[in-house]
Amino acid sequence: LLAEYTTNYKKTHSQTLLPMLAGLREMIDLDMESIDAIAIAAGPGSFTGLRIGAATAKGLGLALDKPLVEVPTLEGLAYNLCGTDKLVCPLMDARRNQVYTGVYEFVRDGVEYRLQVVEEQCAIDIGEIAEKLNALGREVIFLGDGVPVYKAAISEKVCVPYSFAPASNNCQRAASVAALGAIYFAQGKTVSAAQHQ
């Protein structure tokens, strides 16, 4: 990891993304031709945020003739906790008492950890994901912007031991999307910029 730029303060991707990319490129003297691929959080998420991210990645991919690596947003979020022996349950507030969620675990593979999907990403009621976690019967760590919204429901409905990720690992991080993107790139999971939707 050479650099990561994170802000979480009122402004949207449309206002910050390109200036942040330009600032990072200058700070680390990045030769754009040295890039192998562009990892992108491919959803779920806010429609406008995903569109701006996709348009930016497609533009860079087309201009540089580089492939894109589509990282499911929830997998990228779960990767913030790489190496934990507990289940990881990212929660993104989908409104109307629903969350975008999935359940993940990390399996040791030699000296590395591999992200494994236990429950595919979906949009469901917070009570339904609580039931699934209770049925799995393992300790779980919650993270994401849905945690503060559904903390009371988690306390009421989740019967297995649980905890919440620390603030430093609770939000989506470019570094996690990039790290997981590098793994998927090595596995050949790419699309051309023109193919990305």
Side-chain angles (χ1 to χ4, degrees), residues 1-195:
L1 179 66
L2 299 178
E4 179 183 26
Y5 197 146
T6 303
T7 62
N8 191 19
Y9 184 74
K10 296 181 183 177
K11 293 185 178 181
T12 65
H13 268 14
S14 62
Q15 297 166 293
T16 60
L17 186 57
L18 288 173
M20 287 165 55
L21 288 171
L24 274 179
R25 188 184 57 72
E26 273 182 43
M27 275 188 245
I28 62 171
D29 295 322
L30 178 65
D31 173 6
M32 298 297 280
E33 291 300 323
S34 70
I35 293 171
D36 295 311
I38 300 164
I40 180 172
S46 108
F47 180 68
T48 303
L50 289 172
R51 257 188 0 193
I52 292 163
T56 303
K58 282 175 76 82
L60 287 169
L62 287 167
L64 299 169
D65 193 26
K66 302 292 180 181
L68 305 189
V69 182
E70 299 167 326
V71 176
T73 304
L74 291 164
E75 290 181 20
L77 189 51
Y79 208 73
N80 286 2
L81 301 178
C82 182
T84 183
D85 61 349
K86 297 165 183 54
L87 292 176
V88 177
C89 184
L91 300 174
M92 293 172 60
D93 186 13
R95 313 277 191 260
R96 297 184 181 161
N97 213 36
Q98 287 202 320
V99 289
Y100 296 119
T101 190
V103 181
Y104 306 90
E105 67 181 341
F106 292 94
V107 178
R108 195 168 184 107
D109 192 2
V111 295
E112 303 287 325
Y113 285 96
R114 183 173 37 86
L115 178 72
Q116 188 164 297
V117 177
V118 177
E119 288 282 339
E120 291 286 343
Q121 69 178 22
C122 58
I124 59 174
D125 181 90
I126 189 69
E128 288 181 64
I129 192 62
E131 285 176 24
K132 288 177 187 261
L133 290 166
N134 291 338
L136 290 168
R138 290 178 50 197
E139 189 169 349
V140 62
I141 304 174
F142 292 99
L143 74 162
D145 69 3
V147 168
V149 178
Y150 295 103
K151 215 171 205 175
I154 291 167
S155 168
E156 180 186 316
K157 298 171 191 281
V158 176
C159 300
V160 294
Y162 67 87
S163 60
F164 301 111
S168 59
N169 288 2
N170 192 50
C171 297
Q172 294 174 43
R173 294 190 57 191
S176 293
V177 172
L180 199 48
I183 292 167
Y184 292 167
F185 174 73
Q187 295 170 352
K189 296 179 181 177
T190 64
V191 296
S192 70
Q195 290 171 317

